[in-house]
Amino acid sequence: MKITFYSTQPYDTLFFNRYNDSFGFELEFLETQLNVQTAPLVSSAAVVCVFVNDLVNEAVLKIFSERGVKIIALRCAGFNNVDINAAKQLGIRICRVPAYSPQAVAEHAVAMLLTLNRKTHKAYNRVREQNFSLNGLLGFDLFGKTIGVIGTGNIGKAFCRIMRGFGCSVLAFDLIANKELEAAGVQFVPLIELLNKADIISLHCPLNEQTRHLINADTTGMMKRGVMLINTSRGALIDTQAVIDALKSGQIGFLGIDVYEQEEHLFFRDLSATVIEDDTIQRLMSFPNVLVTAHQAFFTEEALTQITLTTFRNVGELLKTNNLINRQALLV
Ligand code: NAI
């Protein structure tokens, strides 16, 4: 059985080829992103494998359906890029990798938080130029600070535990409180209380109609002045212009983002010799207290191994039984 991959990077080829021996699929790797223009590139594949910025909307799904695509395997957890209802109507099964390494993403959120606080990125460059001055590198103790975590699923849970280990108070907001986390000292509070009290806020909820622009002019106004905001979840959780305004006024003191609303036009590519037309990302990158990474929170050896194995298992199981034992992995 052939699987056609979109948005293939060299590490995808490496990992999927490495683990294919025991599965025996025919693998076709396309570098192009999936959209209406590139959907017809699928020839005889019954399975398509996509990543976070591939567009799986109704028009794309119709093209796939006409070409006999039966399964779309997401090699990621988030599925905000997929029109689930259209897939249901066309009878295309969609699966994903619900939890490959929550630690990978949680640890990257912590890395961003520590970098913004202790300015290790600036210190690294300074010392290489024999500038051993400490001026401008002043940070703060994390111990005793209040962390606000929005979304306490797999990644949010891992992040809460790490921050408890630093000796922080952790306030959480989710649709459902988590007993295990409460036992570990995490306090579930209403969103407004979290926004009012947290020194650092980290976003770990999915992007959907309720959470789109959750961070906007109103909610940034409810935060503590000088708050640190970390987003490793999805770019559109944040109204970027509102956050730029809050950075300019000093309401937001630090911003760490691994995801960006318009990232599909930028991320996963080397654009170092290109004039970037997106003025919003350029403005963001010009702040000294903003750290941008290009959707790399998932990018660990362990996570890629799990993504690869789970994707192959999902496809194998769907082909065999038209179902998945892990219901969380099956979207349609
Ligand atoms: P999960 O499904 O385990 O947890 C999501 C949590 O958010 C759940 O507890 C859910 O109840 C909660 N939630 C849903 N709606 C909410 C709302 N309106 N307000 C507050 N909480 C809400 O998902 P997981 O695995 O923890 O991933 C979270 C997100 O992280 C994914 O949706 C994905 O967008 C993002 N992600 C980013 C990666 C990266 O490389 N930057 C890699 C993997 C995931």
Side-chain angles (χ1 to χ4, degrees):
M1 178 61 66
K2 182 163 146 191
I3 308 179
T4 299
F5 289 72
Y6 278 88
S7 298
T8 312
Q9 294 289 342
Y11 46 82
D12 293 314
T13 315
L14 184 77
F15 275 76
F16 280 95
N17 277 332
R18 184 188 289 170
Y19 292 105
N20 190 32
D21 277 358
S22 52
F23 294 93
F25 292 113
E26 183 193 339
L27 307 180
E28 178 186 42
F29 295 107
L30 305 179
E31 285 178 22
T32 184
Q33 230 171 49
L34 172 62
N35 53 41
V36 183
Q37 282 75 42
T38 60
L41 292 175
V42 167
S43 48
S44 58
V47 183
V48 167
C49 183
V50 301
F51 196 49
V52 290
N53 291 325
D54 288 314
L55 184 65
V56 192
N57 64 10
E58 191 178 359
V60 165
L61 285 161
K62 277 189 176 149
I63 296 170
F64 280 168
S65 173
E66 284 158 14
R67 278 156 201 268
V69 172
K70 299 274 181 277
I71 297 169
I72 299 177
L74 276 70
R75 52 183 191 280
C76 55
F79 53 91
N80 50 286
N81 51 335
V82 181
D83 186 335
I84 299 288
N85 285 332
K88 221 177 262 174
Q89 274 164 21
L90 291 164
I92 297 179
R93 310 303 311 249
I94 312 241
C95 56
R96 64 171 181 141
V97 186
Y100 41 86
S101 172
Q103 283 73 24
V105 184
E107 287 170 15
H108 188 76
V110 177
M112 298 194 93
L113 184 168
L114 288 170
T115 304
L116 282 165
N117 175 16
R118 303 307 295 268
K119 304 169 182 64
T120 39
H121 57 315
K122 293 186 186 184
Y124 172 81
N125 286 323
R126 250 188 218 195
V127 168
R128 285 168 71 88
E129 294 190 0
Q130 302 173 34
N131 174 356
F132 302 107
S133 153
L134 297 184
N135 293 326
L137 300 183
L138 190 67
F140 57 83
D141 285 8
L142 271 178
F143 183 84
K145 292 291 182 298
T146 301
I147 314 293
V149 182
I150 301 181
T152 51
N154 294 309
I155 297 168
K157 253 187 273 178
F159 181 79
C160 285
R161 292 209 171 95
I162 299 173
M163 296 325 292
R164 288 293 292 153
F166 272 98
C168 296
S169 303
V170 180
L171 302 179
F173 172 72
D174 198 304
L175 306 177
I176 320 144
N178 180 291
K179 295 266 173 278
E180 261 175 71
L181 282 182
E182 282 179 328
V186 173
Q187 200 189 336
F188 280 83
V189 294
L191 180 61
I192 293 178
E193 187 178 340
L194 182 152
L195 297 173
N196 288 168
K197 291 187 176 165
D199 300 299
I200 296 167
I201 296 173
S202 195
L203 307 179
H204 298 290
C205 57
L207 173 64
N208 55 38
E209 281 323 302
Q210 286 75 50
T211 60
R212 183 175 296 276
H213 289 188
L214 177 75
I215 305 300
N216 53 43
D218 290 338
T219 48
T220 54
M222 293 177 200
M223 295 175 190
K224 268 189 172 176
R225 190 165 173 80
V227 66
M228 182 188 291
L229 178 65
I230 305 286
N231 185 11
T232 55
S233 202
R234 283 293 179 268
L237 293 179
I238 287 182
D239 175 346
T240 313
Q241 193 49 53
V243 164
I244 288 175
D245 293 342
L247 281 160
K248 281 163 81 176
S249 71
Q251 175 63 10
I252 292 182
F254 309 84
L255 175 71
I257 53 169
D258 185 52
V259 285
Y260 169 62
E261 224 175 337
Q262 307 297 333
E263 70 175 49
E264 67 271 23
H265 306 299
L266 302 166
F267 287 5
F268 307 114
R269 272 169 256 178
D270 178 0
L271 301 178
S272 52
T274 308
V275 173
I276 290 177
E277 288 182 30
D278 181 339
D279 292 341
T280 309
I281 191 81
Q282 293 291 31
R283 182 67 184 102
L284 275 178
M285 292 190 300
S286 73
F287 288 99
N289 50 351
V290 172
L291 177 65
V292 181
T293 55
H295 210 134
Q296 72 173 81
F298 74 100
F299 200 51
T300 67
E301 181 81 30
E302 291 80 359
L304 283 186
T305 303
Q306 278 314 313
I307 287 172
T308 306
L309 291 173
T310 307
T311 302
F312 277 149
R313 284 188 199 123
N314 283 347
V315 172
E317 214 176 306
L318 272 175
L319 287 170
K320 220 168 163 189
T321 66
N322 197 26
N323 212 339
L324 289 187
I325 296 167
N326 180 359
R327 297 299 299 171
Q328 279 194 324
L330 189 61
L331 298 173
V332 184

